[in-house]
């Protein structure tokens, strides 16, 4: 499970994304299926950059808040601790994250395929990933 964030001062958006693929290459790419009506889609298109963080088991409540399936009084960004980067806000305790540059948005099915070039990548210990299968989180 991943969390995609984008935006600039005063206008932030994030979305939990489970449909994600990494493509090796030079440069590498990350592809994600986004809700076409999401604020994230709009911010990503406007700024052209974003952050993709891989979530861990401890982030399941945060995933629910950004997925719109749990209450988030004051907004989902009030959960967690955030670090400002040139790509937007990133979750401070997510050990693996990528700073990405949007290359295309393509409508596909009921989603929008966001294709992004990986500009910056930090790989950490992902020994306890948050897995979402058949509508449930698994360890």
């Amino acid at each position: 499970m991943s969390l995609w964030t984008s935006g600039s001062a005063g206008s932030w958006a994030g979305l939990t994304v489970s449909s994600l693929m990494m493509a090796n290459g030079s440069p590498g790419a990350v592809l994600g299926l986004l809700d076409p009506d999401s604020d994230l889609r709009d911010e990503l298109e406007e700024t052209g950059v974003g952050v993709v963080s891989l979530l861990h088991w401890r982030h399941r409540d945060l995933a629910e808040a950004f997925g719109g399936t749990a209450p988030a009084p004051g907004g989902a960004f009030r959960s967690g601790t955030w670090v400002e980067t040139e790509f937007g806000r990133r979750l401070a305790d997510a050990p693996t994250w990528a700073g990405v540059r949007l290359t295309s948005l393509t409508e596909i099915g009921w989603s929008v395929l966001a294709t992004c070039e990986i500009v910056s990548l930090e790989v950490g210990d992902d020994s306890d990933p948050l897995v979402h299968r058949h509508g449930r989180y698994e360890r």
Side-chain angles (χ1 to χ4, degrees), residues 5-8 11 42-50 87 101-102:
T5 56
S6 185
S8 56
S11 180
D42 296 338
E43 287 295 335
L44 194 56
E45 187 171 37
E46 186 174 318
T47 64
V49 294
F87 306 100
R101 180 170 294 117
L102 179 67

Side-chain angles (χ1 to χ4, degrees), residues 29-81:
V30 61
L31 298 86
L33 291 178
L34 309 180
D35 178 341
D37 297 325
S38 68
D39 292 338
L40 173 71
R41 183 214 186 277
D42 296 338
E43 287 295 335
L44 194 56
E45 187 171 37
E46 186 174 318
T47 64
V49 294
V51 175
V52 177
S53 301
L54 297 184
L55 299 178
H56 284 222
W57 178 254
R58 67 182 173 273
H59 299 128
R60 59 193 180 280
D61 291 337
L62 185 83
E64 293 289 322
F66 276 95
T69 56
F77 281 100
R78 293 187 53 101
S79 301
T81 303

Side-chain angles (χ1 to χ4, degrees), residues 1-4 15-20 31-34 40 55:
M1 180 73 65
S2 65
L3 175 64
W4 291 48
L15 185 65
T16 305
V17 177
S18 58
S19 299
L20 154 100
L31 298 86
L33 291 178
L34 309 180
L40 173 71
L55 299 178

Side-chain angles (χ1 to χ4, degrees), residues 67-139:
T69 56
F77 281 100
R78 293 187 53 101
S79 301
T81 303
W82 303 91
V83 175
E84 302 294 334
T85 74
E86 64 186 282
F87 306 100
R89 287 183 172 181
R90 74 168 181 87
L91 186 59
D93 69 339
T96 299
W97 66 277
V100 300
R101 180 170 294 117
L102 179 67
T103 57
S104 69
L105 289 171
T106 308
E107 289 188 26
I108 184 165
W110 291 339
S111 300
V112 170
L113 173 64
T115 304
C116 301
E117 172 186 334
I118 298 172
V119 178
S120 176
L121 179 65
E122 187 169 318
V123 178
D125 178 14
D126 287 313
S127 59
D128 196 20
L130 184 60
V131 177
H132 193 260
R133 216 178 264 141
H134 304 294
R136 294 202 165 109
Y137 294 116
E138 295 181 4
R139 270 196 126 141

